Amino acid sequence: MRYRAVFREITQEDLDWHCMFMPDEDSFDMYLRALIYDASQLEGVAEVDRDGLHAIFITADIAIDALKEKFIPLLRSHWAHLRLSSFDTYDGDQA
């Protein structure tokens, strides 16, 4: 299956005790690349590709619910730098 995850940059509204400071403006790309690497190491994930500035494609041989469960620790470790906006099955026809 192929999935698409879209991320967004941290905003002022995200600041709390989990994320006390705004990341550097230019750091989003670096943290998304780090998340891509981490995601590619997950069991069941065959490939992770970037899709534009804020999204990634994940090719995996597991169901979306199982993949989301595997993503939780990754999202926690990158929480201070980026936020997940959507995570869905991708069939190639979506915009």
Side-chain angles (χ1 to χ4, degrees), residues 38-72:
D38 292 346
S40 71
Q41 304 303 303
L42 293 174
E43 184 179 339
V45 172
E47 185 176 24
V48 182
D49 297 310
R50 187 118 181 219
D51 176 31
L53 296 175
H54 291 89
I56 62 174
F57 286 125
I58 304 138
T59 305
D61 60 1
I62 57 178
I64 192 167
D65 290 337
L67 184 58
K68 285 180 179 180
E69 282 295 316
K70 289 179 181 279
F71 251 77
I72 290 171

Side-chain angles (χ1 to χ4, degrees), residues 7-18:
F7 297 88
R8 67 173 177 79
E9 297 178 36
I10 299 293
T11 64
Q12 285 292 122
E13 291 79 32
D14 294 316
L15 298 182
D16 63 12
W17 67 279
H18 296 288

